[in-house]
Each structure stands twice: as C-alpha cells, then as structure tokens.
C-alpha cells in the first residue's frame, strides 16, 4: 500500500501541471492507474481481524470504492466528460464518494471505536444499513440519469420536463430513505449511550 502511494505521489510530482486535456494519453493513464488500488486495498484489509458488526460496512466501503473508481474513470473519458461536466451526473459521482464510500468507512471506524469503548451504538443495524445504501443507490442513479438527460437536452433542466421531474422524484425518495436510516442511527445511538452510562 505504501509503495503504491509513494509511486502515485512520485508520478504526480513528475507530471506537468499546466493546462492539459483529458484526451492526452498520460492523463488517461493516470486515471486508469486508479484500478490498481482496489485489489491492493483488498489484500491489505484482509490482513486484519475485524470485530463483529463491521463486516457489512467493510464490504460496503469496498463496493462503493470500486464503483467510485469505475464511475470516475468512465466519467473522465473523452466524449463523456464534455457532456457530464457541470451536470447532475457529477453530483451523482460525488454521492457515490461521500454518501457511499466515505460514510461506509466512517461507520466502520465509529463501530470499532464504540466496541473498544464498550458502549452501545446501534450503528450495525442491518435494516438501517439497507435503508441507507438502498437510498444512496437510488439517489446516485437518479442524479446520473438526470445528468445524462441534461447533457442531451439542456433545456429540460429548467422546463420541468417529465423525465427530469421523475429523476428528481426518485432522488427525493432516495434521500428520504437515507434520512430514515440516519434518524434510526441517531435514536439507537442515543438509547445506547444512555444504557452505557
């Protein structure tokens, strides 16, 4: 892991940081080098003994991370980036990163810290886990679809076209599912905190 990180840092330092296009082979090679990370991180994380309740979050972190790499590289490709730049599709990409991958990693850390401290937390609830990730999938897919429609038909973004409104309705439903999970975690963590005192 450290070797790959140092190699990426060295390559980044050697690249010319001026005005460059995503059509240049060296830029594309840099993006495709992200595919080296998922198997390396998988092998690294397999070296640890993970406490009960963390496995689903570990797999979620891995799945969202892999999806983030695939979506990021695909988005960067010539012909795609020109269409998706500054659209809802890039917002969908950010949700894969933040609501998907980063939230999974943060929950993994929080569960381990709570177990180490010997306090109740409720963060490993399987039902709330499904609400969160199901909502995140719907939210991200709706935004990426909206971005694709927006790229092909820019006026739809402002005209209230039924296809765009359907995407926004799905986005709202996904956000509602995520809110249900977040409120559930807050309530269970609050109850757990009271029980542990």
């Amino acid at each position: 892991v450290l070797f790959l990180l140092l190699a990426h840092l060295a390559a980044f330092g050697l690249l010319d940081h001026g005005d460059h296009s995503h059509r240049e082979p060296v830029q594309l090679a840099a993006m495709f080098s992200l595919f080296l990370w998922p198997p390396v991180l998988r092998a690294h994380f397999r070296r640890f003994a993970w406490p009960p309740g963390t496995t689903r979050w570990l797999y979620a972190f891995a799945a969202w991370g892999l999806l983030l790499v695939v979506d990021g590289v695909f988005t960067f490709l010539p012909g795609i980036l020109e269409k998706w730049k500054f659209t809802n599709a890039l917002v969908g990409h950010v949700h894969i990163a933040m609501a998907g991958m980063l939230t999974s990693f943060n929950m993994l850390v929080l569960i381990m810290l709570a177990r180490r401290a010997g306090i109740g937390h409720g963060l490993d609830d399987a039902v709330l886990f499904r609400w969160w990730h199901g909502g995140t999938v719907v939210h991200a897919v709706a935004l990426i679809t909206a971005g694709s429609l927006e790229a092909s038909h820019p006026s739809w973004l402002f005209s209230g076209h039924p296809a765009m409104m359907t995407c926004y309705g799905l986005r709202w439903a996904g956000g509602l599912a995520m809110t249900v999970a977040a409120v559930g975690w807050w309530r269970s963590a609050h109850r757990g905190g009271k029980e542990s005192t």
Side-chain angles (χ1 to χ4, degrees):
V1 174
L2 183 59
F3 172 78
L4 185 56
L5 181 60
L6 291 173
H8 266 95
L9 285 173
F12 180 76
L14 293 172
L15 285 175
D16 181 5
H17 297 281
D19 185 19
H20 290 281
S21 168
H22 65 293
R23 294 177 177 274
E24 295 176 19
V26 69
Q27 301 294 330
L28 289 168
M31 281 300 292
F32 274 92
S33 72
L34 292 173
F35 280 111
L36 298 172
W37 280 101
V40 169
L41 287 176
R42 180 178 183 271
H44 179 69
F45 285 139
R46 287 174 64 93
R47 296 170 49 213
F48 299 94
W50 298 93
T54 59
T55 306
R56 68 172 58 96
W57 285 106
L58 183 63
Y59 282 120
F61 169 68
W64 284 112
L66 180 59
L67 182 59
L68 182 66
V69 169
V70 171
D71 183 64
V73 171
F74 177 78
T75 301
F76 192 75
L77 292 175
I80 304 297
L81 186 60
E82 293 89 343
K83 293 179 180 178
W84 279 10
K85 191 184 292 186
F86 308 122
T87 69
N88 280 296
L90 286 187
V91 181
H93 177 73
V94 171
H95 276 76
I96 292 171
M98 304 304 289
M101 187 186 77
L102 186 60
T103 297
S104 297
F105 183 77
N106 286 341
M107 293 294 271
L108 184 64
V109 171
L110 286 173
I111 292 171
M112 290 193 301
L113 289 174
R115 289 201 184 280
R116 178 171 289 185
I119 60 175
H121 53 80
L123 299 176
D124 53 357
D125 183 281
V127 174
L128 296 178
F129 175 89
R130 287 192 287 271
W131 273 93
W132 179 266
H133 291 290
T136 304
V137 167
V138 170
H139 201 102
V141 168
L143 284 168
I144 291 170
T145 303
S148 300
L149 293 172
E150 180 185 348
S152 303
H153 310 281
S155 65
W156 286 11
L157 182 64
F158 306 103
S159 65
H161 190 277
M164 292 297 289
M165 299 311 292
T166 299
C167 289
Y168 286 146
L170 289 171
R171 181 190 67 170
W172 185 89
L176 180 62
M178 295 163 72
T179 302
V180 167
V183 170
W185 285 323
W186 181 84
R187 291 181 63 189
S188 60
H190 184 66
R191 285 196 303 269
K194 281 188 171 180
E195 290 167 2
S196 65
T197 55

